[in-house]
Amino acid sequence: MSFMLPKSMDRPKAPQGKSHHRRVEPGSIIAVASGKGGVGKTFMSITLASAFAQQGQRTLLVDGDLGLANVDVQLGIEPITDIAAVIAGWVELEDAVTPVDGGAGDGGFDVLPGRSGSGALAELSTDEVSRLAAGLTTLSLQYDKIVLDLGAGIEANCMRLARAADKALIVITDDPSSMTDGYAFMKVLRGYAPDVDQHVAINQAANRAMGQQTYEAIAMACRKFQGYRPPLAGIVHRDEKVREAVRCQRTLISTDPTAQPIQDAIAIAQTFIARSGGRDLHY
């Protein structure tokens, strides 16, 4: 790839001696998306990856927010390599992962980090993003689940990465702009990648009834204007513990596994596991 990092940055070394698990069939890639920022998309991605790992799934969390990558910041980790190093040609994609809580297969999960504040990643060419997406598809042979934390909005590179997924989890809150932008994302994705199976998650719900009300409004709009009703993956309750976990750079599932948002995320993970199966590779 032609993209290069700033010359002032030192070239990192790839981890050595890492063994790679191989599946017979590719694992599922779930793109976590939103129409706007601030709806808890990255929290949902991290918690979902933790929940999959807790359910015994070999899981990779990919920071696909190419402009504002922050998964590493929220997890409080300092990765040696990241997507930027892959794009620069310094390491292979599978060697750029960082284990969290023991890593995939050992009780935790793996992370393919972006680079916080890297505007250069947001300027990748169409070819570079397409090759990254193809690399994720190949990498899915090593994992049961890949959780792809996309950037917010309907920017073209976001949509190109989303095409690597077989499922999309669109995170929406009851904020009117979140609902409007979330619907816009679903409409654009349906036209750009009609094979991606869309699901809706209502985040920061005051209670289940209000979360269901928000979902019904989105589902009704999709039914009326797009001719389909996206399934509800789950409702995640609002809890101040989420904000505190982000502030402390810890996963809430590790500090308070009984918290209601964690139980809600585990339920979503179980839903995806129950619906999962092998999928076709598409390049």
Side-chain angles (χ1 to χ4, degrees):
M1 298 180 181
S2 59
F3 176 80
M4 296 297 292
L5 294 173
K7 293 180 179 179
S8 60
M9 303 188 72
D10 295 330
R11 172 176 176 164
K13 295 181 179 178
Q16 298 297 311
K18 184 177 177 64
S19 60
H20 301 295
H21 173 85
R22 290 285 178 185
R23 290 167 49 93
V24 175
E25 296 179 321
S28 179
I29 299 180
I30 302 168
V32 181
S34 65
K36 69 181 289 294
V39 301
K41 174 178 56 60
T42 299
F43 162 78
M44 183 73 75
S45 298
I46 292 173
T47 306
L48 196 58
S50 300
F52 279 136
Q54 190 181 73
Q55 299 295 308
Q57 301 276 293
R58 283 183 57 84
T59 303
L60 172 67
L61 172 60
V62 179
D63 196 340
D65 189 346
L66 299 178
L68 296 169
N70 63 354
V71 165
D72 55 332
V73 175
Q74 290 202 23
L75 286 172
I77 60 175
E78 297 181 0
I80 298 174
T81 61
D82 52 31
I83 290 177
V86 174
I87 292 170
W90 293 344
V91 296
E92 297 293 333
L93 197 61
E94 61 184 3
D95 293 323
V97 301
T98 297
V100 174
D101 296 335
D106 291 313
F109 57 94
D110 290 341
V111 172
L112 180 56
R115 178 165 294 170
S116 180
S118 176
L121 281 179
E123 299 173 355
L124 297 182
S125 69
T126 300
D127 181 59
E128 287 168 334
V129 174
S130 296
R131 291 170 67 180
L132 176 59
L136 294 180
T137 304
T138 302
L139 204 57
S140 67
L141 285 166
Q142 298 181 23
Y143 294 93
D144 300 311
K145 296 286 183 295
I146 291 181
V147 178
L148 174 58
D149 183 29
L150 292 175
I154 57 175
E155 188 263 340
N157 277 347
C158 177
M159 290 295 165
R160 293 187 184 100
L161 267 186
R163 292 181 65 180
D166 57 300
K167 297 179 179 64
L169 180 67
I170 295 88
V171 181
I172 295 172
T173 71
D174 61 0
D175 180 80
S177 60
S178 170
M179 297 173 67
T180 302
D181 294 349
Y183 170 75
F185 179 93
M186 298 169 73
K187 178 181 177 181
V188 173
L189 181 63
R190 190 168 171 83
Y192 197 85
D195 293 336
V196 176
D197 188 18
Q198 298 188 15
H199 302 253
V200 173
I202 305 302
N203 194 28
Q204 303 172 8
N207 53 57
R208 182 160 189 83
M210 294 188 70
Q212 186 71 35
Q213 183 178 346
T214 301
Y215 164 71
E216 291 298 339
I218 289 293
M220 184 174 67
C222 290
R223 169 75 75 181
K224 181 176 182 180
F225 299 110
Q226 299 296 315
Y228 77 107
R229 180 182 173 89
L232 176 65
I235 296 170
V236 180
H237 289 73
R238 182 181 302 143
D239 194 322
E240 184 60 28
K241 294 175 182 175
V242 173
R243 186 188 301 272
E244 184 63 25
V246 172
R247 186 182 299 120
C248 296
Q249 296 181 295
R250 298 286 303 277
T251 59
L252 183 57
I253 200 170
S254 68
T255 59
D256 190 352
T258 64
Q260 186 60 53
I262 296 304
Q263 298 305 309
D264 297 337
I266 290 174
I268 293 175
Q270 290 173 333
T271 297
F272 277 119
I273 291 171
R275 297 173 180 172
S276 68
R279 68 190 184 91
D280 297 329
L281 287 169
H282 47 84
Y283 293 94

